[in-house]
Amino acid sequence: MNASNIFTSHANVADTQTDEISTEIKETLTLLKQFYDVSIVKFIDFREVYSKQLITCNDKESVENELLSYQKRCTQEKLYLFEDTFFDDVSNNTHKLIRFYAQYPIYSVTNKLIGVVLMADLAPKTLIGSQKDQFISFAQLLQTQLNKNSDSVSNQSTKPAKKNYGEKYIHVFSLAPVAFLIALVLCSFTALLLYTIEKKELQSNYNQQTQQLRKTLFNALERFDNQGLYISQKDLVIAGFLQSQNNHTKEQLNNLVQSQVSQNLTYKGYVVFDSEYNQLALWSKNNFDLAAYGFTNWLEKFNKRANKQAVEVFTVADTAFLISEIKIKQGSIYTLTAFDLSKFLKAVIGKLNTENYNVFIATPQFTLGKKGEVNPSIIKNSISALSSRFPPTWRLHVQPMNKIVRPQITKYSLIRLGLISFCVFAFVYYFLRLPRRLHSEIKQKNQLILNREELFSSSLDALPHGFAIFNSHEFPVITNNAFNLLFAQVNKQNSQLSYSQLISIAQQHNIINHYHEHHKLDDDRNQLIDIGFTDGKWITVLQRHTDFNGFVCYFRDDTEAHQKECLLADVLEKSKQTNQLKEKFVTRLSRQLKTPLSSLKSLVEISKDPISFNEFKNNVGNISDACDQLESVIQQLVNINKSEIGKLKLQAKNVNLNQMINNNMSILAKEVENKRIVLKNNITPELTVASDEKLISQLVIQLVTEVLDSSNNTTLSINAQIKNESKRNYLHLDFSLSNLIDSSNFITELKSISGDDITRFIDDKDVSLELKFFISIFKMLGGKAITVCSNANKSTISLSMLVNIATKQGKDNEQEVPSSSLTNNDLVKASLVTNKHQNTLLLVDDDPLVEIVIRAMLKNENIKIDYARSAIEAMLMVSQNSYDIILMDIVMPELSGTDAMLKIKKHSDNLKTKIIAHTSTPDTGSKYVNQGFDDMLLKPVKQGVLINQITRILKDKSL
């Protein structure tokens, strides 16, 4: 081979490697484009060898110009992974198409920058932490593909070519004579081995069949002898009877004989004779005649037989006669048993496993089978044996239904062995004759495939989220480790499952408790799916259908985001319930206002005409009652607002319960008119206690209103009494009514806590807001227990609360008691304590150490501090609370502080909240003020600077 051929060969190999790497780069870019669903992906090779780009948009020329501008900007500022939102000046001025851009560098094995991989889109996007890691994984995959060629080139240039000593052996074995001999030896060895194995298998099968035949014969012979023994046992019973009885009648012997043989279906007759040929006993079937078989002179023939034995058997047709001589002390007796041979044979083989065998009894007179008498010639290929209970001329034969053939190799087996040997010869000869070049080419091609497959698998396994490609039958073709771990419980006992089977089994075993498919996107080729796992994990699946009728699934772990969405939804639902409660209170109070307003209007009409002094005094009393009713209703609105901000306090004074209940009934009069409800006040006029009249009135009105909503055509009676328990005075208010309907959610929840200690009631317990507000007022009044009892048509609701016995002080001598100081102790007298207004600050930072530092700096200031560890949590807290100052970190995961500030200012209704940028990046405050912040503090902040800044902002805020 000359030098030019060598050079050409190396050039061809290099071109082949370049084409393969180009193909791999294109496939990786295609996968990257599909994974992120972007319009543009591009690899820029600074060596201008492997540059590739995939762009799907109308104006490609403008897009390429914008890509070049972005790439230059990144190179100048040494940025390798960014989004276009950081470059508003570039995007807003000259670039109008690309709204998202990201790139990452590619290095050679010598750590030299050789190119960049980038992706862009025409719509704005945001890469969170895990998506950035995935993008880096794709870049590393490209880097590995590019450096593979560099490794091979460097190895060829640095390492001297080693001679492959194995090539000469391959050359020798590929020679035709050597290959022929090796193939012939292997062929002969294979044929001999197969022949030996088959012969041993046939011999083993023959031995097994022969052994089974013998076993069947022995079993049949054992049954045969047992049947004969059974026939002779009755003779022993007869002999025993004769020896034991000195005197017996013929009738007794006949009965004994009949009891011994009549139950056996094979017997036809049975006779007992003595030596004088006298018949001692006889039993026979109706159609059986012993004389008909020619046995009139049988005893003489029996005595004259040449080979005398104790038992002889004679056969006539299918009937066998068994003659036995039994010696007793009085002499000898003889028995003759006639039985059906066919039934006898069936009794022998009845319980044997003779499915594959026939059983015969052969006698000198005939041969008997299961179906009757047969020709002796048909029992060929059988084995036989003599019985110890019957004459030696009788033999028992067992014949296999399928003839047992001695082992021998058939022509078919020889032909089959010949074909197998020929195939072995042809394969070995063909393999040894393969040229050396073909061996190297096969090895090289296989190695490239294996390397490429391993590289692709390792890159997919580096992705933090699940990834799987399914074929047209929904079976997985390629999966990564994240996907396998996600469905490890399902795949533990099932090796290969389709996508539908995977989801179905996971739902059956309660691994998945939520599965929802959204409407398809992009011309029915893409689809979003939500999957909720029982362990709390939440997965969002993007399913994209491909051109080969399969589909690709990206299983994204959105557990944290889903939990925050659920938390936000729960908060919104609670807020909605709060608004509904307020609306319900307003509606109820508007109805309650109608009664005093109607009274006032009537008094105004009456006052237009001249009236006497007495009439004027009466009207003044009515006006006073109407004013008290108005004050009670308005006070409910005031108390609702005060209880929400924690400023509701008790005003202890003497309360006449009878007068207060009458006033409440007047307020509720309009509500009971259309329901035919009668209100009765059974409280004694002199019952007076020291407590907060307005709160007790509100408690009664709320409870009665809820009860009236669940009643119709009933009577409500209110009773009250003072009980002394453990040296304390408790007021017991009892509300008794009939026909109470449990449709009200309030009454149902009130029953659920009936009998409980109200002091242990948990505020965040899962009950309605109406009940929580009712319990809060009840606890402020010193409430101890609520009891609900129902029997027949009557229901009673009892309220027990701590009170003082009324003093003799005047009506206007009132004292305010803070709600926070009221416990289960006696109601105390206290002055009104007014708290100074406390400012509120929300600290937003993902570093818990910052919270500790800020709280320590502001511990002596009158500032309430709340802490949020993420921007999303901060947005949630702002939607539920009002803050004077928000101290916002800038760099946080998922959502930056700048974006959070813009969203808070856009959606918050509190325009006085001041948001301060809290960052460690040294910069002028004007940058953050231009972005929308009210001020900026540089980390780490000093205590004096922090306090002065907050004081100045609060001062400006109050002006």
Side-chain angles (χ1 to χ4, degrees):
M1 183 181 292
N2 55 26
S4 60
N5 292 336
I6 296 175
F7 178 78
T8 304
S9 175
H10 284 296
N12 292 335
V13 172
D15 292 340
T16 302
Q17 291 178 345
T18 302
D19 294 340
E20 290 176 352
I21 293 175
S22 298
T23 304
E24 291 176 356
I25 291 174
K26 185 176 180 181
E27 292 176 353
T28 304
L29 292 177
T30 303
L31 185 62
L32 174 66
K33 186 175 183 297
Q34 189 180 32
F35 186 85
Y36 287 97
D37 193 20
V38 293
S39 304
I40 304 152
V41 292
K42 185 176 182 180
F43 170 63
I44 303 174
D45 188 2
F46 296 157
R47 300 168 299 182
E48 298 183 356
V49 178
Y50 299 112
S51 296
K52 295 284 182 183
Q53 68 178 20
L54 299 175
I55 301 176
T56 54
C57 62
N58 296 328
D59 194 356
K60 289 187 179 181
E61 185 177 354
S62 300
V63 167
E64 290 179 356
N65 292 334
E66 291 187 18
L67 288 176
L68 182 60
S69 176
Y70 275 112
Q71 192 229 331
K72 288 181 179 179
R73 184 65 179 270
C74 289
T75 304
Q76 292 172 1
E77 300 191 12
K78 297 182 179 180
L79 296 174
Y80 296 120
L81 185 60
F82 68 95
E83 302 172 34
D84 66 329
T85 51
F86 296 147
F87 296 90
D88 294 333
D89 55 339
V90 177
S91 300
N92 294 334
N93 293 336
T94 59
H95 301 80
K96 299 180 180 180
L97 291 178
I98 297 177
R99 300 300 301 154
F100 167 78
Y101 180 89
Q103 75 172 39
Y104 194 80
I106 305 295
Y107 296 94
S108 65
V109 291
T110 58
N111 205 23
K112 179 182 178 182
L113 184 64
I114 59 175
V116 292
V117 58
L118 59 89
M119 62 178 177
D121 201 359
L122 307 183
K125 284 184 178 291
T126 300
L127 294 183
I128 63 175
S130 59
Q131 290 178 324
K132 293 178 181 179
D133 295 339
Q134 292 168 353
F135 182 45
I136 294 173
S137 299
F138 278 106
Q140 291 174 347
L141 174 61
L142 283 172
Q143 183 171 305
T144 306
Q145 292 170 340
L146 289 166
N147 293 332
K148 181 174 63 175
N149 188 26
S150 302
D151 292 341
S152 62
V153 172
S154 62
N155 290 336
Q156 291 176 3
S157 60
T158 57
K159 296 182 181 180
K162 294 184 178 180
K163 185 176 181 180
N164 189 359
Y165 292 100
E167 290 183 358
K168 64 179 182 179
Y169 297 108
I170 296 176
H171 178 70
V172 171
F173 290 148
S174 64
L175 296 176
V178 177
F180 181 82
L181 290 175
I182 294 175
L184 185 60
V185 170
L186 291 177
C187 170
S188 302
F189 175 76
T190 303
L192 181 61
L193 179 63
L194 294 176
Y195 178 82
T196 303
I197 292 173
E198 186 168 359
K199 189 173 181 180
K200 286 185 177 180
E201 184 178 353
L202 292 174
Q203 183 64 39
S204 175
N205 189 26
Y206 174 78
N207 294 337
Q208 184 179 359
Q209 292 178 354
T210 305
Q211 187 69 21
Q212 185 63 33
L213 179 62
R214 290 175 181 172
K215 182 179 179 181
T216 305
L217 176 63
F218 294 151
N219 291 338
L221 186 62
E222 183 181 2
R223 289 280 298 171
F224 190 67
D225 289 341
N226 288 339
Q227 286 294 326
L229 178 61
Y230 177 75
I231 292 174
S232 62
Q233 281 178 348
K234 66 184 182 306
D235 297 339
L236 299 177
V237 175
I238 301 299
F241 174 76
L242 293 175
Q243 286 183 348
S244 63
Q245 301 291 329
N246 293 328
N247 295 316
H248 65 276
T249 62
K250 187 175 182 179
E251 184 179 359
Q252 290 177 338
L253 189 57
N254 279 336
N255 291 336
L256 178 61
V257 168
Q258 185 172 1
S259 66
Q260 292 295 314
V261 298
S262 60
Q263 299 300 323
N264 197 314
L265 299 178
T266 63
Y267 293 163
K268 291 185 176 182
Y270 184 77
V271 189
V272 181
F273 296 92
D274 60 9
S275 58
E276 300 298 329
Y277 200 62
N278 294 319
Q279 179 179 305
L280 300 179
L282 171 66
W283 173 87
S284 67
K285 291 185 177 178
N286 295 333
N287 57 353
F288 179 74
D289 185 7
L290 191 63
Y293 287 89
F295 280 88
T296 55
N297 197 20
W298 61 272
L299 187 58
E300 183 180 353
K301 293 179 181 179
F302 181 73
N303 288 329
K304 293 180 180 180
R305 64 191 186 280
N307 185 17
K308 293 185 178 182
Q309 295 182 4
V311 178
E312 287 288 342
V313 179
F314 302 94
T315 57
V316 179
D318 63 342
T319 302
F321 297 89
L322 190 145
I323 305 170
S324 301
E325 179 182 5
I326 305 174
K327 296 184 182 293
I328 59 177
K329 59 185 178 179
Q330 293 90 349
S332 296
I333 62 169
Y334 300 90
T335 61
L336 184 143
T337 305
F339 57 90
D340 192 327
L341 259 180
S342 297
K343 292 183 178 179
F344 180 79
L345 180 61
K346 290 180 180 179
V348 171
I349 65 176
K351 295 183 179 180
L352 291 175
N353 184 15
T354 58
E355 222 177 272
N356 300 321
Y357 302 95
N358 295 320
V359 181
F360 302 93
I361 297 177
T363 67
Q365 293 80 17
F366 59 86
T367 301
L368 191 66
K370 184 168 60 174
K371 296 182 180 180
E373 188 175 355
V374 298
N375 192 335
S377 62
I378 71 170
I379 59 173
K380 296 179 180 180
N381 303 318
S382 65
I383 60 175
S384 61
L386 297 176
S387 171
S388 61
R389 297 280 178 181
F390 289 89
T393 56
W394 287 37
R395 298 188 71 88
L396 187 67
H397 290 261
V398 176
Q399 178 192 49
M401 292 184 179
N402 297 323
K403 182 180 179 181
I404 300 176
V405 183
R406 290 189 175 275
Q408 58 180 357
I409 302 299
T410 62
K411 292 182 180 180
Y412 171 76
S413 300
L414 292 175
I415 294 174
R416 182 165 53 85
L417 289 176
L419 290 175
I420 294 175
S421 301
F422 177 76
C423 292
V424 172
F425 175 83
F427 175 78
V428 174
Y429 183 78
Y430 175 77
F431 180 78
L432 293 177
R433 288 287 294 164
L434 284 176
R436 181 172 48 197
R437 177 183 52 81
L438 185 58
H439 277 270
S440 301
E441 184 178 349
I442 291 175
K443 183 178 179 181
Q444 183 181 2
K445 289 292 184 182
N446 288 340
Q447 193 63 39
L448 287 174
I449 293 173
L450 291 175
N451 291 342
R452 184 174 174 183
E453 198 172 291
E454 182 181 359
L455 183 63
F456 184 74
S457 300
S458 62
S459 300
L460 288 180
D461 290 339
L463 299 178
H465 296 287
F467 174 82
I469 300 176
F470 298 87
N471 60 17
S472 57
H473 300 290
E474 295 191 354
F475 285 98
V477 180
I478 297 175
T479 60
N480 67 346
N481 284 337
F483 173 83
N484 298 332
L485 291 174
L486 193 62
F487 294 98
Q489 288 182 274
V490 183
N491 290 322
K492 189 179 297 182
Q493 299 178 350
N494 305 277
S495 57
Q496 186 73 4
L497 293 174
S498 65
Y499 176 81
S500 302
Q501 293 172 337
L502 197 69
I503 299 300
S504 177
I505 293 177
Q507 289 175 329
Q508 292 174 7
H509 289 77
N510 201 27
I511 298 173
I512 290 177
N513 55 13
H514 176 83
Y515 185 83
H516 176 67
E517 295 182 354
H518 297 276
H519 294 295
K520 291 189 175 181
L521 312 170
D522 299 338
D523 300 329
D524 294 339
R525 293 182 64 85
N526 299 336
Q527 189 171 29
L528 286 176
I529 304 171
D530 291 334
I531 301 179
F533 287 77
T534 310
D535 59 0
K537 189 177 297 182
W538 187 269
I539 303 297
T540 301
V541 183
L542 177 58
Q543 188 181 93
R544 291 179 176 165
H545 291 267
T546 58
D547 296 333
F548 57 86
N549 296 326
F551 55 91
V552 181
C553 285
Y554 307 94
F555 297 82
R556 180 180 186 77
D557 190 348
D558 288 333
T559 304
E560 187 175 353
H562 176 70
Q563 291 175 349
K564 290 177 181 178
E565 288 179 4
C566 293
L567 179 62
L568 183 59
D570 185 52
V571 171
L572 293 176
E573 180 63 25
K574 289 183 179 179
S575 176
K576 182 180 177 181
Q577 292 180 3
T578 304
N579 293 333
Q580 290 175 350
L581 176 61
K582 291 180 179 179
E583 183 179 352
K584 184 176 180 180
F585 267 109
V586 171
T587 304
R588 177 186 297 167
L589 294 176
S590 65
R591 294 199 309 265
Q592 295 173 359
L593 282 171
K594 291 181 181 179
T595 300
L597 287 177
S598 298
S599 300
L600 288 176
K601 287 182 180 178
S602 300
L603 292 173
V604 169
E605 292 295 330
I606 294 173
S607 63
K608 290 181 179 179
D609 299 328
I611 57 176
S612 64
F613 180 75
N614 292 331
E615 292 176 343
F616 176 75
K617 288 179 66 178
N618 293 332
N619 290 338
V620 169
N622 295 332
I623 292 174
S624 178
D625 293 340
C627 290
D628 290 341
Q629 294 174 5
L630 283 174
E631 184 182 4
S632 176
V633 174
I634 293 172
Q635 190 62 38
Q636 293 185 55
L637 286 173
V638 176
N639 289 344
I640 292 174
N641 184 50
K642 286 184 176 181
S643 64
E644 290 183 349
I645 61 178
K647 295 182 178 180
L648 187 60
K649 299 174 177 61
L650 294 178
Q651 294 182 351
K653 67 177 183 179
N654 294 339
V655 181
N656 186 300
L657 294 177
N658 181 276
Q659 183 179 356
M660 183 200 72
I661 296 300
N662 286 333
N663 192 20
N664 293 338
M665 288 183 174
S666 300
I667 296 174
L668 300 172
K670 289 293 183 181
E671 297 187 17
V672 302
E673 287 181 355
N674 300 328
K675 290 191 173 187
R676 294 177 294 173
I677 297 175
V678 179
L679 302 177
K680 290 185 177 181
N681 181 7
N682 297 330
I683 303 176
T684 57
E686 63 275 5
L687 185 59
T688 305
V689 296
S691 186
D692 192 310
E693 180 181 9
K694 295 177 181 179
L695 285 182
I696 295 179
S697 176
Q698 181 172 340
L699 193 72
V700 172
I701 289 176
Q702 183 179 357
L703 179 60
V704 173
T705 304
E706 295 291 348
V707 169
L708 294 180
D709 291 340
S710 304
S711 305
N712 195 6
N713 192 17
T714 185
T715 299
L716 174 63
S717 300
I718 304 176
N719 299 283
Q721 57 180 327
I722 302 293
K723 293 184 179 180
N724 188 278
E725 301 173 6
S726 302
K727 299 181 180 181
R728 296 177 182 178
N729 296 316
Y730 287 93
L731 171 65
H732 289 261
L733 280 175
D734 299 329
F735 302 83
S736 302
L737 71 160
S738 58
N739 301 326
L740 177 63
I741 304 173
D742 292 341
S743 60
S744 171
N745 186 42
F746 180 87
I747 300 299
T748 303
E749 291 182 333
L750 199 62
K751 284 186 175 182
S752 67
I753 63 172
S754 174
D756 295 343
D757 188 355
I758 297 300
T759 59
R760 299 179 181 178
F761 182 82
I762 303 174
D763 292 338
D764 58 354
K765 192 174 181 180
D766 190 14
V767 294
S768 63
L769 294 176
E770 292 94 336
L771 183 61
K772 286 185 178 180
F773 182 69
F774 179 82
I775 296 297
S776 65
I777 297 177
F778 185 64
K779 289 170 69 175
M780 290 183 64
L781 290 168
K784 178 184 179 183
I786 299 175
T787 307
V788 181
C789 300
S790 299
N791 52 7
N793 297 325
K794 184 178 180 181
S795 300
T796 303
I797 302 174
S798 299
L799 306 181
S800 175
M801 52 190 135
L802 187 67
V803 295
N804 276 346
I805 301 299
T807 61
K808 296 181 180 180
Q809 295 173 347
K811 180 179 179 181
D812 296 333
N813 186 16
E814 299 178 356
Q815 293 181 340
E816 291 187 351
V817 182
S819 62
S820 59
S821 65
L822 183 62
T823 63
N824 282 338
N825 299 323
D826 295 334
L827 296 173
V828 297
K829 299 178 181 179
S831 60
L832 177 63
V833 179
T834 57
N835 292 330
K836 184 181 179 181
H837 173 69
Q838 188 178 30
N839 296 309
T840 56
L841 181 144
L842 175 62
L843 175 64
V844 185
D845 203 301
D846 58 343
D847 187 1
L849 185 60
V850 176
E851 179 196 7
I852 298 174
V853 174
I854 297 298
R855 286 188 185 275
M857 289 182 176
L858 301 178
K859 66 179 180 179
N860 296 325
E861 305 299 321
N862 186 27
I863 298 177
K864 178 186 176 183
I865 301 176
D866 288 343
Y867 173 65
R869 67 179 65 252
S870 67
I872 294 179
E873 186 178 351
M875 293 167 59
L876 186 63
M877 296 176 70
V878 170
S879 67
Q880 301 302 312
N881 303 283
S882 177
Y883 295 100
D884 297 311
I885 299 174
I886 299 177
L887 198 59
M888 179 74 72
D889 187 18
I890 299 300
V891 181
M892 288 184 292
E894 298 181 355
L895 191 68
S896 65
T898 304
D899 293 337
M901 176 270 298
L902 295 175
K903 292 180 182 295
I904 290 173
K905 289 203 170 186
K906 180 178 180 181
H907 299 290
S908 177
D909 55 354
N910 189 357
L911 302 178
K912 294 184 178 181
T913 301
K914 302 299 181 180
I915 304 179
I916 303 175
H918 191 209
T919 177
S920 58
T921 304
D923 206 333
T924 58
S926 59
K927 172 184 176 181
Y928 294 100
V929 172
N930 293 335
Q931 290 177 345
F933 287 96
D934 296 292
D935 211 333
M936 189 269 289
L937 282 173
L938 185 63
K939 291 183 182 179
V941 65
K942 296 182 178 179
Q943 185 177 13
V945 175
L946 176 65
I947 294 175
N948 291 336
Q949 194 90 325
I950 291 177
T951 303
R952 180 181 58 79
I953 290 176
L954 292 175
K955 184 178 180 181
D956 295 341
K957 184 173 178 292
S958 61
L959 295 178

